Amino acid sequence: QSPPGKPEIHKCRSPDKETFTCWWNPGSDGGLPTNYSLTYSKEGEKNTYECPDYKTSGPNSCFFSKQYTSIWKIYIITVNATNEMGSSTSDPLYVDVTYIVEPEPPRNLTLEVKQLKDKKTYLWVKWLPPTITDVKTGWFTMEYEIRLKSEEADEWEIHFTGHQTQFKVFDLYPGQKYLVQTRCKPDHGYWSRWGQEKSIEIPNDFTLKDTTVWIIVAVLSAVICLIMVWAVALKGYSMMTCIFPPVPGPKIKGFDTHLLEKGKSEELLSALGCQDFPPTSDCEDLLVEFLEVDDNEDERLMPSHSKEYPGQGVKPTHLDPDSDSGHGSYDSHSLLSEKCEEPQAYPPAFHIPEITEKPENPEANIPPTPNPQNNTPNCHTDTSKSTTWPLPPGQHTRRSPYHSIADVCKLAGSPGDTLDSFLDKAEENVLKLSEDAGEEEVAVQEGAKSFPSDKQNTSWPPLQEKGPIVYAKPPDYVEIHKVNKDGVLSLLPKQRENHQTENPGVPETSKEYAKVSGVTDNNILVLVPDSRAQNTALLEESAKKVPPSLEQNQSEKDLASFTATSSNCRLQLGRLDYLDPTCFMHSFH
Amino acid sequence: VLPICSVRNGRCFGSFEELLERAVSLSEEISKKAFELFTAFDSQYAQSHQLIVKSLKKCHTSSLDLPKPGSQAMQTHPVTLLKLASKLLRAWQVPLNHLVNNLPSLKNVSPSILSKAKEIEEKSNGLLEGVKSILIQMQNGDTEDENYPGWSGLASLKSETEDIRLFAYYNMIRCEGRDTQKVETALKMVKCKISNENNC
């Protein structure tokens, strides 16, 4: 047995800022029954009071009701323990009620699962302040906290909510069960204990909805993919063309392997763009044309060469082929004419010596001018000789005028023969001149001047053709002179030629014979009738030759020329031998 | 940031509700700081010097007491509560100034104690001006000269005896904390009455 131990005041708390309670821990009791008593005094007061209520708050406690509570004062509290052996007192505790407030936890906690418009779920938590506290008057100002966790979790998730009494919790897992608690604290004091625990389970309906949404999305996307694949399959070619446009081929024309294989050169050339060149057929034609042109030229050149060579080469052999090639045709006609004339003409043996004489005497060409003077007396002699046929061969050579007559017959035979006849006449004239060359030197010089022009003409075949025409004029004059002297002989060839070519009738022949008889008569009797007869004959010839359109012009020219010739003839008749050469010279000039 | 206000009688007046809300908020801050100051001072000086017994002296504002909850006094008009708050704040204007000016003379005083005391003084002066503005609006400019209890503790604050000075400081800080709570409670009760208990 001993006195009691020293008690200890545990804590003092005020739930509503109007009342408060203090608790103490008793010490040892000393083995004897012990009584405890609580005494207090207020600041500024010396009186000491005892606890007003030991029962309301339970054992070892003292409750101060509103009557005994002063909020704005400090309490000095002590506890005494007493037993039979003695007593002991605790240490004093100074209490300011405003600082020892600890409210009750919030009440009416409710949980509710809600959904926003976007189908998002959340937990709605709401509560009420503790009942004892008079918050509405402003005597209290509470702050709240909420804590949350899933059933399986170990740690709580705390959220401070301030003065509001409701809270929304998001990001919850469907199918989970959640636990929720709340607590509060006054503006100056201690946090209350956590309130009653509430639980709620988040349903899976939302998850089902979400899954349905995802399913719909998946199905739609699958359908879209299928449609795209189908479209691509249908339009694959066009798509490929769009993506990979065809590469343009080369525009430059080149060789084709097929053409090379086939071996078609024409197509190859066309492929190379050689269309400008003429086709092979055209080329062949061109070649042919060129060949033909060359052949024509050769043919033209050959006759000229042949004509030249025989003139300079072997005389007899060359002369023969020339006559055959170029003059063959003419000779044939001439032969025919000769055959026709053979009964009338002399044998061919006489013709040959004349041809041989021509090449021997190239200078013989010079004296054609003096021939007419000499020819005139020759003609006279000829006429006398013609009357006497049994003359010697020498006299035969003098019969060349008759050969000329034969030529005249040839001309009368055909127009082609006319050229040959003119040529033959020229040759014959040359022969005559050669005979007279030695007699007159002056005549030779004059003849030399005239012959160079003739040579130039001979080099050109067409000019050669013209040449006979040129010769035609001098032969006319020569014939005229012959006519002047021979009278009958000279007139006959002109008249016959004209008549036969223009009017191949018999009466012309009769006229010729009449003139001849006149000549003989004239020759014997008088020259004047010969000139008259010649003038009339020339006029007739000019009228026949001239075409009807140009008859007047040619007739005038012919008249002028005839007048001149007539004057010359008169002078010749007056002076006889001396006047004739002068007249001829004037005519030439 | 100060709200936009209207000027009347040379003063800046915001809306009534805004002013009251700001007053309540400011009083809460002051009350919190006062509690922190008391706790810091008590832990540094009171425990080692057993000053509590000696410091249980009445505060100079003990005559200004709020009515008890549930009593008929609780039905008092808000003007009464505002005037009570105004008197309390005015009664502490001079003592807080002396507290701030003389605390540095204590040995080993911590900077936090000094800064808290300074902050309490400044905010209390601001709150006093706010409460005056609210009273002017409610009374339409009719302001009475307020009678507030005086403070006579300056001699103790300047005493050459260390224990006497500590006793004086401890008692002053304790009383300041209590009075800041009274002002806060009074303003909150006014707010609940005027706003139809919406924010209570």
Side-chain angles (χ1 to χ4, degrees), chain B residues 19-178:
Chain B
L19 285 174
L20 197 56
E21 184 65 36
R22 284 181 60 81
V24 169
S25 176
L26 187 56
S27 67
E28 288 178 339
E29 291 181 30
I30 297 169
S31 177
K32 183 178 180 182
K33 288 292 176 184
F35 181 75
E36 291 175 1
L37 176 60
F38 175 77
T39 304
F41 190 91
D42 179 74
S43 64
Q44 183 172 353
Y45 298 102
Q47 298 295 335
S48 61
H49 295 87
Q50 298 295 326
L51 299 175
I52 299 176
V53 175
K54 296 180 181 180
S55 69
L56 287 180
K57 182 179 179 182
K58 285 188 177 180
C59 302
H60 73 286
T61 58
S62 60
S63 61
L64 303 174
D65 223 356
L66 282 174
K68 293 184 178 180
S71 64
Q72 293 182 356
M74 290 296 291
Q75 308 304 322
T76 311
H77 195 277
V79 172
T80 305
L81 294 170
L82 286 170
K83 285 186 176 181
L84 176 61
S86 176
K87 288 181 180 180
L88 286 166
L89 291 166
R90 186 70 186 81
W92 278 98
Q93 204 165 25
V94 173
L96 282 172
N97 183 260
H98 287 296
L99 178 66
V100 169
N101 291 336
N102 291 279
L103 261 176
S105 66
L106 286 178
K107 290 183 177 180
N108 303 327
V109 66
S110 66
S112 64
I113 291 175
L114 295 175
S115 65
K116 292 183 195 301
K118 182 67 177 174
E119 187 174 354
I120 292 168
E121 183 196 11
E122 294 175 352
K123 289 181 183 288
S124 296
N125 288 330
L127 182 56
L128 176 56
E129 295 298 324
V131 171
K132 286 183 177 180
S133 298
I134 297 171
L135 278 169
I136 289 170
Q137 286 199 30
M138 294 183 75
Q139 300 180 27
N140 293 324
D142 183 8
T143 308
E144 299 176 0
D145 294 336
E146 300 174 356
N147 298 323
Y148 57 88
W151 175 70
S152 62
L154 183 57
S156 301
L157 287 180
K158 294 180 176 294
S159 172
E160 295 179 356
T161 306
E162 182 73 8
D163 288 350
I164 293 174
R165 292 209 306 275
L166 287 175
F167 168 79
Y169 281 118
Y170 186 88
N171 195 57
M172 180 181 283
I173 293 170
R174 180 176 66 79
C175 293
E176 164 62 14
R178 173 181 297 169

Side-chain angles (χ1 to χ4, degrees), chain A residues 72 76 94 98-99 141 187, chain B residues 35 53 56 65 178 181 188:
Chain A
W72 314 113
I76 308 168
Y94 301 91
T98 57
Y99 290 106
T141 303
D187 41 11
Chain B
F35 181 75
V53 175
L56 287 180
D65 223 356
R178 173 181 297 169
Q181 286 195 15
K188 286 182 177 178

Side-chain angles (χ1 to χ4, degrees), chain A residues 5-6 10 24 39 75 133 152 190 212 214 218 228 242 258 268 283 339 353 364 384 387 404 431 436 546:
Chain A
K6 184 177 179 182
H10 177 229
W24 68 83
T39 59
Y75 285 73
T133 308
E152 295 83 6
Y190 302 99
T212 54
W214 281 112
M228 291 180 72
C242 292
H258 295 288
L268 283 170
C283 294
K339 289 179 180 179
S384 66
T387 57
S404 68
L431 291 169
D436 297 334
V546 174

